[in-house]
Every structure is written in C-alpha cells, then in structure tokens.
Amino acid sequence: MEAIADFLDSLVGGVDLICYSLAIGSLFWGLFVLRPWYSHAGYTDALLEKTIALLYKGGFALALIQLFKIVLKIWLMAAILGRWPFPEFADTTQFTGGLIRMVLTLLVAGYAYLYLRKNPFSRQHWMTTGYIAVPMIISGAWLVHAAGRFDNQVPLMALTVAHQLGAAAWIGGIFQLVNIWLLRSNMRVPAELWPIMLKRFSLYGMASVAMILITGLPIALQYIDTWNGFIGTGYGNLLLVKIILLSLALGFAWLNRNAVQQFGASGDNYALNNRVPYYIEAETLVLVVLLFTAASLASQPPAIDIPNLTATWQEVLDTFAPRIPRTSSPSHEALLAGEAGRVAIVGQIPSEAATAWSDYNHNISGIFLTVMSFVAMLSYMKRLPSAFSMFDKYLPLAKYWPFGFVVLGVFLFFRSDAESWPLGPIGFWDSTFNNGEVLQHRIATLLVFVLGVMELRARMSHDPNSKLPFVFPMLAAFGGLMLLTHSHIGFQAKSAFLIQVGHTLMGVFSLVLACGRWLELKLDRPGKDIAGFVSVAALFQIGLILMFYREPLY
C-alpha cells in the first residue's frame, strides 16, 4: 500500500492549494469585488449564498485535507521505516504546524457557516471573517520551503505567504466568475451583472497577478542562483512550467479583457456572452493544473542546494535532439537479467537492456501519436489535394483517429513495467500497490485506453446534447497533471531530472491539447477551428518528444 500513499502524496498538495484558493479567494472576492454592504444592485440571495458557500466549503475541505496530509505522512513514514513514527514526528514543524493550521481553518469556515451565511450583506461579518482568517493565512508560513532554511528565513516565509495570497485571490476569483456565469445561465442573477463583475475582476485580477510576480521573483532568485540551475534542475524546470502555464492563463485573461473593453466601447455583448465564459473555463483548467505544478515544485530541492547534481543546458537540449527512433526491443529475458543490478541500493549497475526497453516503449508510442495526429489533421479536411483525390472517399473514416489510443493502451499494458505482471514475475496487485512509479504507469495506461474508448463513443453518437465529447479534454488534462507530478525511482538525481524534463513538457502539451479540444467544442467559428488545430498540433508535439526519447544509462 506504500505506492498508494506515495501517489496520493504527489497529488494532495495540489488539492490543498485548490481548497485554499476557494476559501481565501472567495473571502477576498466578497471583501474587494462584491462588497455587498455598499450596493445591492443585482445581488440576489442566490449569488451571496453561493459565494459564501464556496468560502466555507473550501475552508472545511482545506481543514480535512490538512488532516489527511498529516495522516498520509504518518502512513508513508511507517511504511518506509517499518515502525510507528511517534513520538519523533510529533516534534516536527509539519505535524504541529499542520494541526494548528487545521484548527485555524476550521474557525474561519465555522464562522462563515454559522454567522456570515446568515448575514451576507453585513460589512461587520465580512470583516470579522477576514480578521479570523489572518492567523490561518500566517500559519501557512511554517509549512513552506522557507521554514526549513537558515538564510533569509523570515523574508522568504513572508514572501511565500504573500505569493500564495496573490494566487488564491486570482484563482478564487476565477472560480467565482464561473459561479456567476452558472447562476446567470440558470437566470438566478440578472444578466446585467455579468459584464459588471467581469469589469471589476479585470482590475482585481491584474493586482493579484502583480502580487504573484512581485513576490515570486525574489523567491526564485533566492532558490536559483545560476542559469543552469533554472534549466538543469527539477526545481528550475517546474518553475519554468509554472511560468509557461501562467503565460497561457494570462493569454485567456487578455482575451477576456478585450471582450470587456469591446463591450464598454460599443455595447456589443456577443463575445462577452458567447466566448468569454468558455475562455474562463479553459483558464480555470490551466490554473488548476498550475496549482498542482506549484505543489510538485514544493517537493523539489531548490537548485541552489544541489549544484553538483545540476544538468547543463547542453544535456537538457540533447534530451530533445532528433534521432532515429528505436524500433527493435531487447528480449524480456535480457531485461530481467539486469534488473537486480539496476535497482540495487549499493553497487548499482546500469542495465543497457532496461534502457533499450524503455526507449522502445517511448519511441513506438511516439510513432503511434504522430500518425494519429496526422490522421486527425486529415479529419478537418473536406477533400484532399487533387493528386490524392482518389482517397477522398476514405476521409470520413479519419474522424475515428482516437482508436489509436485504444491500441496504444493495449501496447502499454503489456510493455510498461515488464518486471511485473503480465510479462514479469511480480504479481499485478503486489507491483501496483507497492511501487509508486508502477501505480502511476498503470493509471496512465488505463487513462489512455479509456480516453480512446470514450472519444470513439462520442464520435459515433448521434445525440447533439451528448456530454461524451467533454470526457476527452478532461482526461487529457488529468493526463497532463499526472505527467507534471510523475516521479521516477531507481535513477540518480540528474538522470531522474533528464527523464522528468521530457515528461513535464509533455504535460504542458497535454494541457494545451485539453484546452484546445474544450474550446473547439464550445466556441463558434473561426475560434473553433483554430482551437481544434492547436489541439492536434499539441498531440503532434507530444508524439515527437516520445519518438526521440532516450533514457539516461545511469
């Protein structure tokens, strides 16, 4: 069961940040955007009820997650040490700080539920909720990287808390915009409230992003002291991913702001009602994955602490260098023969067969995906160039390109983790629940297979109101999230990073694939066609990364 605890540990940090954003972001939304004590225009009971519900539900969930994190740490330590970790664990900052934060969070959520919920237009109750939240916000400083450092400890703790506040304000505000759009769609708030809230959020969002950037820069400079540290470590790589995802989210925010300005200048609300809601949905998807990336970043040692384990930028670029894909696999017997030396704690001996086996799996998967993306591109065409017009009759079949995911899932089921069932001697349940990496591979394999099956069903369905098409982008986004939190055992630190850097880039493209497909389903033309093309192009890029993959032999 150690594998389950290890896998959950890689995900629970992201859930923690989502709950924090819901609670604190909703509180800030009420205090600085809604301000219900000033004006009631358009503020229905449903609006205030849902706004405050997100606050206290996020708070209760955050307290529960904080307790779960402590239990998970106990579970992991007991599994690794082979004994009960108390009383030693009770003296750690993680234990005492986690319990204190849980209690303080319960106070915030409890007050919001018992008093603010019943007095939603009261300034006094909103301000009191804010005052109660201050100790809870500050308590988070003892649960971050900076708390364990000797240099600049207090400034870094303060900057990290402010950084988290800026993120919570922005992301919590996005959650609230989604809430308002759903209420408007169900006619539970006036239609006129939508552009008003978008305009208010525009300035509020810019202030939040400014706070993120102003606090994030000195933190980054403290933890990363060289360009190689930024390019060649897990910490720097995930920070780069955060910057990419932040830029992607800001791109959607820019589209939203343009629509708001267009409405203000001309009164044309077409984009405001028919595009902006879907941009916000895609932005939400990006920001949720960004939070999981931030949580994964918190588990990485800062680049400044591992100068001797840093890869050079040349080594990183070589990871993505084009090369001839491996299309022949070593025998299963050769693979198993080298496993004992490869995973040895003392006297580790690299296994050429294991490296070749992994290269073959990745390269063949890349060939699958590049061919699939090419067929997907054909599915957007009405007819082929005149020289290939004889094949026009087969074009309608191109829309079934997701069948490739089904075949790929079967391939990965047999080839991944060949030391385990069905090819290897280690049983299915034993390998799955006692090895975190194997568990993640099993989930990824199932994800690929299910993704193909569900998308095929969606394309064969004749129901125009079917929700099946939306399964694909959601599963693709979850796949991207798994790639960004994926870990490798049995490798030295630099090798693990050189493997990770390819997986994180694929995670980014998986998210682009998900957002593109989501917007293709939601938008009108020409945005629909552009989003569809971007989605397929992202799949093609994932295929290229896999096709040229080479695993380090150390």
Side-chain angles (χ1 to χ4, degrees):
M1 301 298 283
E2 180 184 342
I4 296 178
D6 186 46
F7 175 64
L8 291 175
D9 189 50
S10 68
L11 296 179
V12 72
V15 179
D16 179 284
L17 292 176
I18 290 173
C19 296
Y20 182 78
S21 297
L22 269 174
I24 300 303
S26 297
L27 175 61
F28 282 15
W29 177 266
L31 288 171
F32 303 116
V33 179
L34 279 186
R35 293 170 295 172
W37 56 88
Y38 279 137
S39 171
H40 298 177
Y43 290 3
T44 63
D45 290 339
L47 172 63
L48 272 298
E49 177 187 331
K50 289 291 185 181
T51 299
I52 296 171
L54 287 177
L55 195 167
Y56 66 74
K57 288 179 180 178
F60 285 130
L62 178 60
L64 183 63
I65 287 295
Q66 195 62 61
L67 177 62
F68 181 68
K69 285 173 72 174
I70 295 172
V71 172
L72 199 58
K73 294 294 183 188
I74 296 170
W75 185 5
L76 271 172
M77 285 188 289
I80 294 170
L81 300 174
R83 68 176 182 85
W84 191 241
F86 288 97
E88 294 86 353
F89 183 53
D91 295 327
T92 64
T93 304
Q94 288 293 316
F95 181 77
T96 54
L99 283 181
I100 290 171
R101 194 187 196 205
M102 181 189 73
V103 172
L104 293 174
T105 303
L106 284 173
L107 289 175
V108 176
Y111 183 86
Y113 179 77
L114 293 174
Y115 299 102
L116 182 61
R117 180 172 62 100
K118 298 173 182 176
N119 302 276
F121 294 96
S122 167
R123 178 176 183 175
Q124 178 185 346
H125 285 87
W126 276 101
M127 295 299 292
T128 302
T129 308
Y131 294 142
I132 297 174
V134 170
M136 185 272 279
I137 293 168
I138 294 174
S139 70
W142 280 266
L143 301 175
V144 300
H145 257 144
R149 304 198 68 79
F150 297 105
D151 299 330
N152 303 316
Q153 183 189 54
V154 174
L156 283 173
M157 289 168 68
L159 283 169
T160 305
V161 168
H163 189 70
Q164 291 177 342
L165 276 181
W170 182 22
I171 298 170
I174 290 293
F175 290 153
Q176 289 291 346
L177 283 179
V178 173
N179 174 50
I180 291 174
W181 175 252
L182 292 175
L183 290 172
R184 181 195 180 282
S185 300
N186 294 321
M187 294 182 290
R188 299 182 67 186
V189 296
E192 297 78 16
L193 189 64
W194 177 240
I196 294 172
M197 290 295 101
L198 284 173
K199 185 175 181 180
R200 287 188 190 176
F201 177 75
S202 184
L203 294 174
Y204 172 81
M206 285 192 289
S208 301
V209 172
M211 188 172 181
I212 292 171
L213 297 176
I214 291 170
T215 55
L217 182 60
I219 295 173
L221 292 176
Q222 179 65 36
Y223 291 149
I224 302 173
D225 58 345
T226 64
W227 280 109
N228 274 347
F230 183 53
I231 302 296
T233 63
Y235 189 93
N237 175 245
L238 287 175
L239 178 60
L240 180 59
V241 169
K242 275 186 65 179
I243 293 171
I244 293 171
L245 296 183
L246 180 65
S247 301
L248 188 58
L250 287 175
F252 287 121
W254 178 76
L255 291 173
N256 296 337
R257 180 170 172 78
N258 279 354
V260 171
Q261 290 177 332
Q262 180 184 347
F263 173 75
S266 65
D268 182 4
N269 64 356
Y270 181 81
L272 216 61
N273 295 329
N274 296 280
R275 292 173 186 161
V276 167
Y278 312 128
Y279 293 150
I280 291 175
E281 290 173 352
E283 185 179 350
T284 303
L285 204 58
V286 173
L287 291 174
V288 166
V289 174
L290 192 151
L291 289 178
F292 278 93
T293 305
S296 187
L297 177 68
S299 68
Q300 297 283 336
I304 197 171
D305 294 340
I306 52 171
N308 297 326
L309 300 174
T310 300
T312 65
W313 64 267
Q314 292 94 336
E315 289 175 311
V316 175
L317 287 181
D318 185 63
T319 302
F320 301 103
R323 61 200 89 199
I324 302 299
R326 180 181 289 275
T327 55
S328 61
S329 171
S331 67
H332 189 247
E333 291 74 16
L335 172 73
L336 293 180
E339 276 301 286
R342 185 181 74 87
V343 299
I345 297 176
V346 179
Q348 187 180 48
I349 302 172
S351 170
E352 292 188 11
T355 299
W357 184 280
S358 179
D359 290 347
Y360 175 82
N361 290 352
H362 285 84
N363 296 166
I364 294 300
S365 298
I367 292 171
F368 262 107
L369 293 180
T370 49
V371 171
M372 286 165 56
S373 61
F374 176 73
V375 176
M377 291 176 191
L378 292 179
S379 69
Y380 289 93
M381 301 177 66
K382 300 297 183 183
R383 61 179 59 87
L384 295 170
S386 56
F388 303 97
S389 58
M390 66 185 74
F391 298 108
D392 280 349
K393 60 183 177 181
Y394 299 111
L395 269 182
L397 297 176
K399 72 175 184 178
Y400 299 114
W401 62 267
F403 179 71
F405 283 119
V406 178
V407 179
L408 180 58
V410 174
F411 170 78
L412 293 175
F413 175 74
F414 285 98
R415 293 284 308 187
S416 293
D417 307 300
E419 69 280 3
S420 307
W421 188 89
L423 297 181
I426 306 176
F428 177 82
W429 299 113
D430 186 29
S431 61
T432 301
F433 294 133
N434 289 303
N435 187 311
E437 187 177 351
V438 172
L439 176 62
Q440 291 182 63
H441 288 166
R442 301 276 194 218
I443 294 173
T445 298
L446 179 64
L447 190 69
V448 169
F449 183 83
V450 171
L451 190 144
V453 171
M454 298 303 290
E455 184 63 8
L456 278 176
R457 287 187 60 194
R459 289 167 183 264
M460 291 188 288
S461 173
H462 299 291
D463 180 8
N465 299 316
S466 173
K467 301 299 182 183
L468 280 175
F470 296 99
V471 174
F472 182 93
M474 296 307 295
L475 289 180
F478 182 70
L481 187 153
M482 285 195 63
L483 285 166
L484 290 170
T485 59
H486 187 53
S487 60
H488 291 83
I489 59 175
F491 290 91
Q492 295 178 16
K494 185 191 287 189
S495 302
F497 163 70
L498 291 173
I499 297 171
Q500 172 193 312
V501 70
H503 285 74
T504 52
L505 188 56
M506 287 190 290
V508 171
F509 281 121
S510 294
L511 181 61
V512 173
L513 166 67
C515 291
R517 178 57 177 158
W518 184 272
L519 292 175
E520 182 186 15
L521 294 169
K522 292 276 192 170
L523 292 177
D524 54 359
R525 288 186 167 85
K528 180 188 195 74
D529 297 327
I530 295 171
F533 176 80
V534 169
S535 177
V536 172
L539 181 65
F540 181 74
Q541 291 298 324
I542 296 171
L544 288 182
I545 294 170
L546 287 169
M547 195 189 305
F548 300 140
Y549 178 89
R550 281 292 183 273
E551 195 162 282
L553 188 64
Y554 50 89

